[in-house]
Amino acid sequence: MLYFLPLSTLLLLPSILAIPTPPSEPLPLLIWHGLGDNYAADGLHSVGDLAVEANPGTFVYYIRLDENPDSDKSATFLGNLTEQIAQVCEDLASHPILSIAPGVNALGFSQGGQFLRGYVERCNIPPVKNLVTFGSQHNGIAKYQICGATDWLCKAYIGLLKANTWGHWVQSHLVPAQYFKATNETTGEPTKDYLENSNFLADINNERELKNTTYAKNLASLNKFVMYVFEDDTTAIPKESGWFAYTNITSGEVTHLRNRTIYKEDWIGLKQLDEKGGLEFKTTEGGHMQLDDEVLTDVFKTYFSPPEEVSNQLANNEQELLEL
Ligand SMILES: *[C@@H]1O[C@H](CO)[C@@H](O)[C@H](O)[C@H]1NC(C)=O
Ligand SMILES: *[C@@H]1O[C@H](CO)[C@@H](O)[C@H](O)[C@H]1NC(C)=O
Ligand SMILES: *[C@@H]1O[C@H](CO)[C@@H](O)[C@H](O)[C@H]1NC(C)=O
Ligand SMILES: *[C@@H]1O[C@H](CO)[C@@H](O)[C@H](O)[C@H]1NC(C)=O
Ligand SMILES: *[C@@H]1O[C@H](CO)[C@@H](O)[C@H](O)[C@H]1NC(C)=O
């Protein structure tokens, strides 16, 4: 007779019978906001809400450098990017949910896009599967015009850094200076000052003599890297930086990534990624960060949706075969 099963056995039953997490569970999503924004901002969270609507069950993590939203906002102007990215790496690798995920997807807005790429290249634990960036500055900025029209705090910092872009203090404290790129307009080559002093971009783009092969390996391991440029972007200059293109500021002539040395010699794995169909160049209407819900939803469904349930599909096929 089984009427007197001990209570402990009964309590175990539900977990024994529990169905394992289906493979169709969406991966967690990382969102890294842009300059002057903060991780708790309503606008950012409405993007996260859209992601959940498109792929129900998505765990969204808003990357932050400080739990206090005001301090997190300050950190978008002030800080050493080497340290900021290292901190994000630590936070993600020790996060109770993210650290055990088989992978994550990532969405970067403006400078948050190149910082997420930095995360992929330098750390990538948990590994990013699909990276989408909007209006980012992958080939740096050629002008400091990155602040919103009425963002006076931002403008004040920009004034400071214009004065001494390549100084050690500026390179270790003012964020936009660390992805400013100076190019000799005659030769199209980066300047010596930039190569010697850039604390972030010259390193992350492997522009120096000594290349870090981990950067290329990690970036090439992505499934998709999708780069959106805003058609009428007049804030991120040049806007084509969002596609890793080089723009001659004097003539306006654009050299596509595929015609640049960073690609041809595959310094950071972009060629490898492109050859397996993982690199996408996209445009979207509007000015800098004029996000459209429809475009976002399309991105979430196209790139962040879990794969179809292959196992069920196989089971069905098997069933059909048996019936033949
Ligand atoms: C390359 O980058 C990886 C990841 O950040 C780091 O661990 C390694 O020390 C770097 N190698 C060199 C030669 O700088
Ligand atoms: C930025 O932080 C790193 C790591 O702490 C440090 O080595 C570096 O000197 C700092 N500043 C610059 C300009 O690299
Ligand atoms: C740019 O490069 C040319 C050719 O090497 C050189 O003559 C010129 O001085 C450089 N310009 C600047 C601003 O460094
Ligand atoms: C950039 O444009 C200027 C003006 O047309 C031209 O003189 C210069 O050679 C161009 N630089 C490169 C690298 O093509
Ligand atoms: C690369 O340069 C060649 C020769 O200038 C040009 O014909 C081609 O269209 C360029 N490719 C891209 C992708 O821009």
Side-chain angles (χ1 to χ4, degrees):
M1 293 293 250
L2 288 172
Y3 295 115
F4 297 105
L5 269 178
L7 185 61
S8 59
T9 310
L10 287 175
L11 285 175
L12 275 175
L13 277 176
S15 61
I16 293 168
L17 296 176
I19 301 156
T21 323
S24 62
E25 193 87 347
L27 295 177
L29 174 61
L30 310 175
I31 301 182
W32 200 328
H33 60 80
L35 186 71
D37 207 353
N38 74 76
Y39 83 95
D42 288 345
L44 200 69
H45 283 249
S46 62
V47 171
D49 293 345
L50 270 183
V52 175
E53 220 172 276
N55 297 306
T58 304
F59 173 75
V60 182
Y61 180 82
Y62 302 90
I63 291 181
R64 81 264 340 234
L65 286 150
D66 201 297
E67 292 299 326
N68 177 315
D70 288 333
S71 308
D72 184 51
K73 174 177 170 171
S74 302
T76 68
F77 304 105
L78 283 177
N80 176 331
L81 282 173
T82 312
E83 289 166 1
Q84 289 194 347
I85 289 175
Q87 184 190 325
V88 168
C89 288
E90 260 176 49
D91 288 351
L92 301 188
S94 62
H95 187 280
I97 294 171
L98 301 172
S99 62
I100 58 163
V104 294
N105 290 318
L107 177 63
F109 291 133
S110 198
Q111 67 178 18
Q114 62 262 29
F115 302 166
L116 271 173
R117 177 166 65 83
Y119 163 81
V120 171
E121 292 180 28
R122 289 191 183 153
C123 306
N124 215 25
I125 303 168
V128 172
K129 298 299 177 193
N130 301 291
L131 172 64
V132 179
T133 65
F134 275 93
S136 294
Q137 297 91 39
H138 293 298
N139 193 47
I141 47 170
K143 284 189 180 165
Y144 291 118
Q145 202 171 321
I146 196 104
C147 311
T150 57
D151 199 338
W152 308 112
L153 177 66
C154 175
K155 289 190 172 179
Y157 285 125
I158 297 300
L160 257 180
L161 62 76
K162 268 184 179 166
N164 185 16
T165 290
W166 305 119
H168 190 267
W169 190 88
V170 167
Q171 282 297 317
S172 54
H173 289 88
L174 299 182
V175 168
Q178 297 165 61
Y179 55 84
F180 181 82
K181 181 165 179 178
T183 306
N184 181 323
E185 289 277 277
T186 312
T187 60
E189 294 297 321
T191 66
K192 196 162 161 278
D193 273 342
Y194 164 77
L195 287 176
E196 280 173 5
N197 301 300
S198 166
N199 183 45
F200 174 72
L201 196 73
D203 177 78
I204 218 71
N205 284 1
N206 256 343
E207 291 181 86
R208 300 195 172 108
E209 200 91 35
L210 192 66
K211 314 289 183 209
N212 189 322
T213 51
T214 305
Y215 290 1
K217 191 180 95 232
N218 286 358
L219 208 54
S221 77
L222 290 172
N223 177 47
K224 287 272 184 197
F225 180 9
V226 183
M227 302 175 284
Y228 276 88
V229 161
F230 292 95
E231 260 170 31
D232 306 316
D233 198 333
T234 52
T235 303
I237 298 181
K239 66 180 181 194
E240 296 83 6
S241 182
W243 291 326
F244 277 100
Y246 162 68
T247 304
N248 181 329
I249 294 296
T250 317
S251 66
E253 192 192 338
V254 178
T255 308
H256 193 278
L257 169 67
R258 290 186 183 119
N259 270 345
R260 301 188 59 214
T261 318
I262 186 175
Y263 178 91
K264 292 185 197 162
E265 294 183 0
D266 211 11
W267 294 347
I268 54 172
L270 292 171
K271 187 174 184 211
Q272 209 187 319
L273 187 57
D274 196 22
E275 282 167 353
K276 69 170 187 185
L279 199 57
E280 296 193 17
F281 304 84
K282 303 274 213 181
T283 41
T284 182
E285 282 174 13
H288 192 62
M289 293 311 298
Q290 277 182 18
L291 289 165
D292 178 291
D293 283 3
E294 263 176 53
V295 173
L296 285 171
T297 298
D298 184 50
V299 162
F300 300 146
K301 293 205 163 142
T302 310
Y303 303 108
F304 298 161
S305 279
E308 299 292 321
E309 275 181 74
V310 179
S311 51
N312 281 358
Q313 197 62 44
L314 287 179
N316 288 343
N317 289 348
E318 228 165 71
Q319 193 59 42
E320 278 168 25
L321 282 176
L322 286 176
E323 281 165 8
L324 282 176

